[in-house]
Amino acid sequence: MTSVLEPDAGSAPADRSGRNTVVLVGFTAITNLADGVTKVVLPLMATRLTGSPAQVAGVGLTLTLPWLLIALHVGVLVDRFDRRLLLWLADGARLLVVAGLIALTVGDGVTLPALYLAGLTLGVAEVIALTSAATLVPTAVAPARRERANAWLAGAETVCNEFCGPFAGGLLIAAGVGVALGWTGLGYLLGTLILILLAGRFKPQKSTSSGTVNQRIAEGLRTLWQQPLLRLMALALTVLSACWGAWLALIPLVATQLMHLDPREYGLLLSALGAGGLVGALTVTTVNRLLGRRWSMLADLVGTAAMVAAPVFTTNLWIVGAGAFLGGMGGILWTVNSRTISQRLVDPGLLGRYNAAARLFSWGAMPLGAGLVGVLAQWLGIRTAFALFAVAALATVVPFLRTATPAALAAADAPEPSL
């Protein structure tokens, strides 16, 4: 289960860590901003071809479906090949898709099948890029600097992909589809170029892992399941991500029907989520130092519960916005700490498969949560549906405290043996 990395691919020297952190954060911010734009542009392109809600929703589905279908297989790929090369290939595929869409737009040849194919290709590229980038951190950044690197990476990924990207997409699409796609392609190109500055070598030289692809996937899943702390984080993350999916799915209805918000107020509400994420990225090191990693992660369980519980009790914009802020901040605190823990506990030769499995739990749970909350809201009402998800989030507190003990977290923070 161990792997031997090329000499330069071990823990990065401290003098490389700062440079590599800047490069990885820059790559993550730029490409996730472009990803966020495509999530707005492609569905809007579909609305010009059809009035069918199902067909339009299908375009959005193609962008996220690869997380459910191929995430585990991508983990195997990341553990076998140069991770920086995989990032280049992912961005190359994105550039080809964007160029093809621009050509179709200019020639008035855009069709729904073309948008579905483009969405699937971009979705696959996103799976490869995010899994590879997360797996690069242990070989690019020294252990003492990983918490800060993970904080900036998580903040860049969340803020750019989920908030800044869609906002920019809305502005760019007003100037024309070609303009929006052109800026997106430029973002992917800049992301490709910035990786040249990454110092080190990032290819696993050999591994004692053998067997079929499915056997290698199973090995990664066993790594996650057999370690109590990793298993707890995966299961808790499944519940938390389902809560996020539920909140994001229903909050437009809450905002319009219950809170009677205008577009400006609705934008303010959503921005609270991003603001919380940004504050979490900026303060995670301080929070960990003051409260400890255990209580910092517990803040996400409480914050997520507050986010989905707020609409149960009030329609006040500021209270619901405060819940969104706490949810966004807690989400980053959890992401940073869980990544730092897993980078300590998981062998580098298995980290790609572990990261893919962990993201399968989180990204896969979001659409499930969105679907479930819709059914519950239809049967029981919006407030009752949110209340059930709030209870689910709070139900993770006791298992977390029993498993993420100070002793377990101290073991995860123990100094790594020299390579």
Side-chain angles (χ1 to χ4, degrees), residues 184-233:
T184 300
L186 179 61
Y188 291 139
L189 179 60
L190 289 176
T192 301
L193 294 176
I194 198 174
L195 287 176
I196 297 173
L197 302 175
L198 199 62
R201 301 168 69 185
F202 307 99
K203 178 183 178 181
Q205 189 175 24
K206 62 181 180 178
S207 173
T208 59
S209 298
S210 60
T212 66
V213 170
N214 287 338
Q215 288 171 335
R216 292 171 66 84
I217 289 173
E219 188 178 16
L221 289 171
R222 282 197 300 271
T223 300
L224 184 153
W225 195 255
Q226 291 175 354
Q227 223 295 340
L229 189 54
L230 298 180
R231 182 173 67 243
L232 177 277
M233 290 193 306

Side-chain angles (χ1 to χ4, degrees), residues 166-188:
F167 177 74
L171 296 178
L172 290 170
I173 197 71
V177 172
V179 173
L181 291 174
W183 280 103
T184 300
L186 179 61
Y188 291 139

Side-chain angles (χ1 to χ4, degrees), residues 39 57-72 74 116 119-127 359-360 363-364 367-368:
K39 291 179 179 179
V59 175
L61 178 63
T62 61
L63 291 165
T64 56
L65 189 61
W67 284 104
L68 290 173
L69 299 180
I70 65 163
L72 296 178
V74 167
Y116 292 149
L120 282 172
T121 305
L122 290 172
V124 170
E126 184 181 47
V127 174
R359 286 180 180 271
L360 178 65
W363 288 76
L368 295 178

